[in-house]
Amino acid sequence: EEEFPHTYAHVPNLSEVINVGDLKASRYSPGTWVEVRGADMKWRLRMITQVSKEAPPDYDWNDPQNKDKEPEWIYYYQTSDEKRVETDDLRSSEHGLVHLFGTRPWIWQQWACLRLEQILRFQEGHQDDFTSLDVDRCTKELWNKWLDDPQNKEFRDLFYDDRIGDFGRSELVEHIM
């Protein structure tokens, strides 16, 4: 008996590609459908079949200070055709997120890219030079401004709905940023 059915024999329905709920140490668990970034930088839908964790290479198991202390585990995921996939190479299905949140976040993403393009400069020594501007911080500020806009109340209510949970919210934010 196989631990998991062959993933190509099972086509997931929409509810199976929506990841919501509470955040856990291991973002995904066996049986979860995710998109995996391949070497060609394209995302493909795959099912997680196994999760493993390792302590960081610099964690000293013999150090007395670490006696009752858990290491910050590094999680690796296995799919039907890839092993040791790192968390950074996984994300929730875009189709599931669009079904859950609608297209507004992707429209915001396009607007934010245009806004960043207006802000960034390629001028050494200038405060907005692309090498000195914290693009992540700037993007998060644009997101929070958009999320808190009174005209966006309907989306904000959906975004903070308890059924979405921290996991669903983080999956959307990581996907579009």
Side-chain angles (χ1 to χ4, degrees):
E1 181 178 323
E2 288 183 287
E3 182 178 345
F4 276 94
H6 195 279
T7 58
Y8 296 116
H10 174 72
V11 177
N13 62 39
L14 192 54
S15 67
E16 291 176 307
V17 297
I18 296 174
N19 296 320
V20 295
D22 297 327
L23 267 173
K24 297 177 180 81
S26 167
R27 285 187 81 80
Y28 310 104
S29 56
T32 304
W33 286 90
V34 295
E35 290 181 353
V36 180
R37 180 175 39 214
D40 59 359
M41 302 304 287
K42 292 183 180 177
W43 294 91
R44 292 171 178 79
L45 189 64
R46 298 288 186 262
M47 181 196 285
I48 300 291
T49 57
Q50 187 175 355
V51 179
S52 60
K53 65 182 180 179
E54 295 178 6
D58 61 347
Y59 187 80
D60 185 359
W61 291 97
N62 298 317
D63 186 342
Q65 292 179 334
N66 292 337
K67 184 179 180 196
D68 295 320
K69 185 177 164 188
E70 281 274 319
E72 289 191 32
W73 297 106
I74 301 170
Y75 289 90
Y76 294 98
Y77 301 87
Q78 182 172 324
T79 67
S80 54
D81 53 357
E82 290 191 57
K83 295 182 180 185
R84 290 188 59 86
V85 180
E86 296 180 16
T87 305
D88 289 345
D89 291 324
L90 299 174
R91 69 181 189 187
S92 281
S93 161
E94 185 169 326
H95 294 291
L97 291 170
V98 168
H99 183 74
L100 191 60
F101 291 104
T103 57
R104 285 185 199 180
W106 283 265
I107 294 169
W108 171 85
Q109 181 187 50
Q110 293 170 5
W111 173 84
C113 286
L114 293 172
R115 182 73 181 113
L116 278 173
E117 187 178 328
Q118 291 173 345
I119 295 170
L120 289 176
R121 292 184 59 156
F122 296 91
Q123 181 179 346
E124 191 174 334
H126 191 279
Q127 68 182 13
D128 293 333
D129 182 62
F130 78 101
T131 59
S132 61
L133 184 72
D134 186 347
V135 175
D136 288 339
R137 182 184 54 77
C138 188
T139 306
K140 287 175 185 168
E141 287 173 3
L142 290 172
W143 171 259
N144 289 330
K145 183 179 178 181
W146 177 74
L147 193 60
D148 294 336
D149 189 300
Q151 294 178 355
N152 204 20
K153 182 185 179 330
E154 180 184 334
F155 177 79
R156 186 176 55 253
D157 291 346
L158 171 65
F159 185 74
Y160 287 114
D161 190 299
D162 291 340
R163 294 171 291 182
I164 302 293
D166 291 335
F167 183 48
R169 284 188 285 277
S170 71
E171 288 296 290
L172 175 67
V173 169
E174 287 190 24
H175 191 94
I176 62 170
M177 291 198 200

